Amino acid sequence: LSHLAYVALFLTVGASFSLGLPAIVIGGFAILIGAILFHKAGPLRWPVVVYASIIATMGILAVELPTGFALGAAAAVLFIISDTVLGFDTFVLPANGVLSKVAPFAIWTFYWAAQLLFLISFADPIFA
């Protein structure tokens, strides 16, 4: 739901869909990761596809935010990285592997950095 809220926020401040290179890269990345996770997620494959579509939409809109919200694009990329690591940790990586032990630190670091950049981007007058 938070990603849908960000989509709504981005639309209200002037973001729009385009077929520019950043949107193509994010869309292609989402399709690639979605396909990998689709084959690994078992009974959760369709919710994973829906979620990947929502976060891709958020990312595509974020790179189209007006200039004053530039940190929002960086925040969305960090959010996508966090959720990609989460998806791989949940569905792809071996449970007791080294990467699974490191993954939570990466997930939360990228997640909170994304939230901070969103806050700074959209609450700029607070920090001015």
Side-chain angles (χ1 to χ4, degrees), residues 18-35:
S18 78
L19 291 178
L21 182 60
I24 292 169
V25 169
I26 290 171
F29 182 78
I31 290 168
L32 174 66
I33 298 304

Side-chain angles (χ1 to χ4, degrees), residues 24-121:
I24 292 169
V25 169
I26 290 171
F29 182 78
I31 290 168
L32 174 66
I33 298 304
I36 293 168
L37 295 178
F38 183 85
H39 293 291
K40 300 287 188 175
L44 293 175
R45 67 176 35 108
W46 290 110
V48 166
V49 167
V50 170
Y51 184 78
S53 299
I54 292 169
I55 196 165
T57 301
M58 181 206 64
I60 290 168
L61 286 171
V63 298
E64 296 298 327
L65 284 166
T67 305
F69 302 102
L71 287 178
V77 169
L78 293 175
F79 221 140
I80 291 168
I81 292 168
S82 171
D83 284 350
T84 300
V85 174
L86 176 61
F88 271 74
D89 187 41
T90 303
F91 299 113
V92 178
L93 299 175
N96 293 323
V98 173
L99 292 177
S100 279
K101 293 178 182 173
V102 175
F105 297 101
I107 292 164
W108 288 109
T109 299
F110 286 114
Y111 174 85
W112 286 112
Q115 296 295 359
L116 178 62
L117 289 180
F118 277 140
L119 174 65
I120 293 169
S121 182

